[in-house]
Amino acid sequence: MATRDLTIGVIFLIKTLVGILGNFSLLYHYLLLDFTGCKPRPTDLIVKNLTLGNILVLFSVGIHNTMLSFGWYHIRSDFGCKIFPYVHRVGRGVSIGTTCLLSVFQAITVRPRNSRCAALKGKSHPKCIVASIVLCWVLQILVNVLSPLFMTITLNNENITNRKSFGYCSIIRHEKSRDLLCVALLSFPDVLFLGLMLWASSSLVFYLYRHKQRVQHVRRTNISTLTPESTATKTILLLVSTFVYFNTLSFILHTVLGLFDHLSWYLLNTNLVISLCFPVLSPFLLMRFPFLHILASICHFLTC
């Protein structure tokens, strides 16, 4: 076994184990609340769906590539080349879309009653959230179905001069204009979700700042300098910066993989390692900084 394969295998193994621990712990927490009879909040369903998308990425990228790196598994048919990249793309898209939905939902909730988005508050019903989650899954399943159609296994005796190699798998090369169109189609949902999340998070920070200014005169500053608004704002900025940083890197690498014909081993594995970062970190951020509870308490005191 080559040293680089052993190194990347250890990285995949560590990230996968940590990610599975974090996501299953978060999922267990919410399932435990359901079984103990606690009244669920609308955001609980969103977070559960986020962990499900993260778990799909961890299994399709982390476990799969860990076994490949250590030589515990070998792709022997086209099915392996089609199913794992497809599940990875769907899980990644669901994770991004669900994080965006979580931010938009909180932004609408925090809005005052006299704002132009006040009419949307009545639509923040669990049925609307379920419909949004289903739409997210359907969108990702349909958009990413093009990805595995032309992916096949790379045989040792196969001439791959007319194919783009992804290691164990390869795809037929097409014209640059066709590749560009395919990349644009696959990237459009990511760009849309990223834009919506930036708007929602900016709105959250803005209204939390305004609320802090409004209630500042009734608080005794010598008791505590860390207000709920300050805690929520810092948490939102941390979550958004983590989301934007890793998913922007992942978006750039996916674009490069789609446009360039000759892909190095380092580029392919860097893309996979970056793809694991947000699914690994997000559950720990949500458990360490439960800003959903903070925002819920702030919303109770917001007035029109």
Side-chain angles (χ1 to χ4, degrees):
M1 181 185 300
T3 303
R4 67 177 188 177
D5 291 331
L6 178 61
T7 302
I8 198 66
V10 171
I11 294 174
F12 281 132
L13 179 62
I14 294 175
K15 293 175 74 71
T16 301
L17 292 177
V18 174
I20 289 177
L21 175 63
N23 283 279
F24 274 102
S25 298
L26 187 61
L27 186 61
Y28 171 78
H29 168 72
Y30 282 99
L31 292 177
L32 186 63
L33 292 178
D34 292 339
F35 284 112
T36 54
C38 295
K39 183 179 179 180
R41 293 166 300 168
T43 52
D44 291 354
L45 184 59
I46 301 177
V47 176
K48 291 176 186 176
N49 192 68
L50 174 61
T51 59
L52 181 57
N54 290 342
I55 289 171
L56 287 181
V57 176
L58 291 169
F59 273 90
S60 59
V61 176
I63 294 180
H64 176 230
N65 286 279
T66 298
M67 297 177 68
L68 285 176
S69 299
F70 286 120
W72 298 338
Y73 168 73
H74 298 280
I75 297 178
R76 303 183 183 278
S77 66
D78 292 344
F79 179 78
C81 288
K82 295 178 183 294
I83 190 64
F84 290 108
Y86 180 65
V87 173
H88 169 211
R89 286 184 172 273
V90 172
R92 175 179 174 273
V94 169
S95 177
I96 296 174
T98 306
T99 308
C100 172
L101 176 62
L102 183 62
S103 298
V104 172
F105 177 83
Q106 291 294 351
I108 294 174
T109 304
V110 174
R111 290 266 183 167
R113 297 188 184 93
N114 60 351
S115 68
R116 284 178 292 183
C117 295
L120 296 175
K121 281 193 174 185
K123 298 180 181 180
S124 299
H125 193 272
K127 290 183 179 180
C128 183
I129 293 178
V130 171
S132 300
I133 291 175
V134 171
L135 180 62
C136 179
W137 277 97
V138 172
L139 176 65
Q140 296 301 328
I141 289 173
L142 294 179
V143 169
N144 292 291
V145 74
L146 296 175
S147 176
L149 289 181
F150 305 102
M151 190 77 72
T152 58
I153 187 173
T154 302
L155 301 177
N156 294 330
N157 59 349
E158 183 180 14
N159 183 8
I160 60 172
T161 55
N162 64 333
R163 303 181 68 85
K164 180 190 296 187
S165 176
F166 291 90
Y168 293 96
C169 306
S170 60
I171 190 172
I172 299 176
R173 293 179 182 175
H174 300 105
E175 297 179 358
K176 288 296 181 182
S177 58
R178 184 173 178 180
D179 288 341
L180 185 61
L181 179 62
C182 184
V183 169
L185 177 63
L186 295 175
S187 303
F188 176 74
D190 294 352
V191 176
L192 176 63
F193 290 145
L194 180 60
L196 286 174
M197 184 175 182
L198 289 174
W199 165 81
S201 302
S202 301
S203 299
L204 274 172
V205 173
F206 174 73
Y207 280 105
L208 289 175
Y209 174 78
R210 285 187 58 183
H211 179 256
K212 178 182 178 181
Q213 296 298 316
R214 290 175 57 184
V215 302
Q216 188 173 1
H217 64 281
V218 299
R219 286 179 176 156
R220 300 177 62 182
T221 57
N222 59 340
I223 295 179
S224 176
T225 58
L226 187 62
T227 62
E229 294 88 348
S230 299
T231 303
T233 300
K234 292 178 180 179
T235 304
I236 293 167
L237 292 176
L238 179 60
L239 288 171
V240 172
S241 60
T242 304
F243 175 89
V244 172
Y245 177 74
F246 287 116
N247 282 290
T248 300
L249 282 179
S250 180
F251 168 76
I252 294 173
L253 290 172
H254 273 82
T255 303
V256 171
L257 293 178
L259 295 178
F260 286 81
D261 292 333
H262 303 286
L263 308 175
S264 67
W265 180 92
Y266 295 99
L267 179 61
L268 291 171
N269 284 279
T270 299
N271 173 61
L272 295 174
V273 170
I274 295 296
S275 299
L276 287 174
C277 288
F278 185 73
V280 170
L281 291 177
S282 58
F284 294 100
L285 291 176
L286 290 172
M287 288 187 290
R288 175 64 179 84
F289 301 101
F291 79 106
L292 304 179
H293 301 276
I294 300 171
L295 288 177
S297 63
I298 294 175
C299 291
H300 178 72
F301 296 103
L302 280 174
T303 57
C304 56

